[in-house]
Amino acid sequence: MTDALEWIDENLDPVRVDTPAFRYDDMDSQSGRCLPDIHRPFDPENRGDWGDLGSRYDFVHATRCRGRRVLDLGPGDGWPSLVIAPWAGEVVGVDASRRPVEVCTENAARMGVRNATFVHVPAGEPLPFPEASFDAATAASSLEQTPDPEATLAEVHRVLRPGGRFRITWEDLDRYRGGREREAWGWRIDRERTAVVIYDRDPDAERVRQVRVTLAAAAEEIEPGDITADWLAARRHRILDARFAVTLHPSAPTLVRWMREAGFSGVLPSPSGGTFAARWFEEIRAAGLVPDRGQLEAAVKVLVDLPADLGAHPRITAVK
């Protein structure tokens, strides 16, 4: 992909934007409308759906959010806001892009969820809430999409009440080492536009440069291997714009350090309830048994308070 990146930089002079303008403002659904219990019924035969359920229990029990007020950073299509709402007293989702706020509000109305609201907060701006106004907070792969993750952590700390718990999942770049540092893919924005996105990941620097070229749509399938300098040059007459965004993706040790510097009194890396649930489902089915939601929830409730090694790609709970 290096030649494609060089061609874009040399010929298109891409403009730097924040992540909402880079992608999310154009996305009708961040999940492809595939989330169980949000877009479709839960499938008890689906391993992924049980992993999703384990993640819900993870957020609920790690944050101790039952009956309490919860802040969700970057809810996307409503994850986890809408699926933890039955446990919480109130959920407030904040997103830097207006489109997810609209999508989440529409999904909440369709699902009959009345205790979740969604608010637009421009990227980089302080949260519009007073100090100590939330009991818990969640972030599912959203912290790294903010312009300044350290400042975002400080804002979460500010709006949490003493003893409030913040549970986070995030994209650790270690998973891309060994050949996936540079990747490309294409996606249809709408009937008139197609986007080509190239990721240039630097796990050591804990950063990603994402470059996007928007083309006037045409009837063609785009495979990752197609996206070369020659491929782009042949379509230059269809290129509408070029932009890039830079995001910081902290490793687990960096994230723990940032949380402590933000003022959190306790930081606990622990196993992922979602990963555990998917493996648990496989073992239950292999034994010829029927998976039970109550048993899974009881197990995840214990799991989220167990320590995990930072090198094991854990989830993290920070306590104010």
Side-chain angles (χ1 to χ4, degrees), residues 37-304:
D37 293 328
I38 292 181
H39 299 112
R40 59 175 178 79
F42 180 88
D43 182 356
E45 302 299 319
N46 187 303
R47 176 184 183 274
D49 284 14
W50 283 94
D52 176 276
L53 183 61
S55 288
R56 296 185 220 178
Y57 294 148
D58 181 300
F59 280 114
V60 167
H61 292 294
T63 59
R64 313 288 200 267
C65 73
R66 189 178 295 272
R68 297 184 174 181
R69 191 173 193 231
V70 184
L71 172 70
D72 182 31
L73 297 179
D77 289 354
W79 173 259
S81 301
L82 295 178
V83 294
I84 67 173
W87 284 271
E90 179 188 5
V91 180
V92 179
V94 296
D95 204 289
S97 176
R98 292 187 184 278
R99 184 54 186 149
V101 171
E102 296 169 357
V103 170
C104 289
T105 301
E106 293 165 1
N107 287 341
R110 175 174 47 78
M111 295 168 63
V113 176
R114 293 183 172 84
N115 64 332
T117 56
F118 300 92
V119 180
H120 172 246
V121 180
E125 290 194 6
L127 294 170
F129 311 110
E131 293 183 9
S133 54
F134 288 90
D135 302 295
T138 58
S141 298
S142 57
L143 178 73
E144 63 271 30
Q145 301 301 323
T146 65
D148 186 345
E150 289 185 82
T152 301
L153 286 172
E155 273 295 280
V156 173
H157 181 271
R158 181 184 67 80
V159 301
L160 279 177
R161 297 187 177 104
R165 302 169 71 89
F166 178 34
R167 184 67 161 175
I168 179 173
T169 68
W170 78 104
E171 184 183 48
D172 189 322
L173 297 183
D174 276 347
R175 71 185 68 181
Y176 298 106
R177 292 184 186 274
R180 294 184 60 201
E181 288 85 355
R182 292 189 179 90
E183 291 185 311
W185 59 287
W187 57 281
R188 180 61 59 86
I189 301 171
D190 51 36
R191 293 182 179 180
E192 299 179 351
R193 296 173 299 160
T194 297
V196 168
V197 179
I198 301 175
Y199 295 96
D200 187 15
R201 304 181 178 101
D202 187 340
D204 292 329
E206 301 181 359
R207 69 188 288 275
V208 179
R209 182 174 184 253
Q210 307 168 66
V211 181
R212 166 180 161 176
V213 175
T214 306
L215 300 92
E220 65 175 319
E221 294 294 327
I222 302 175
E223 297 294 332
D226 294 337
I227 303 169
T228 64
D230 290 342
W231 187 92
L232 289 165
R235 291 158 178 78
R236 184 164 186 171
H237 63 288
R238 288 171 42 204
I239 293 176
L240 301 176
D241 70 55
R243 63 189 74 172
F244 76 96
V246 177
T247 52
L248 300 179
H249 295 246
S251 63
T254 297
L255 188 54
V256 168
R257 174 170 56 82
W258 285 356
M259 287 175 163
R260 288 175 175 154
E261 291 173 351
F264 288 97
S265 61
V267 180
L268 174 66
S270 64
S272 163
T275 301
F276 168 82
R279 294 173 179 168
W280 171 88
F281 170 76
E282 290 179 342
E283 294 176 2
I284 291 292
R285 295 306 299 268
L289 302 175
V290 177
D292 179 84
R293 287 183 178 228
Q295 291 178 354
L296 175 61
E297 182 175 5
V300 172
K301 185 177 181 179
V302 173
L303 187 79
V304 296

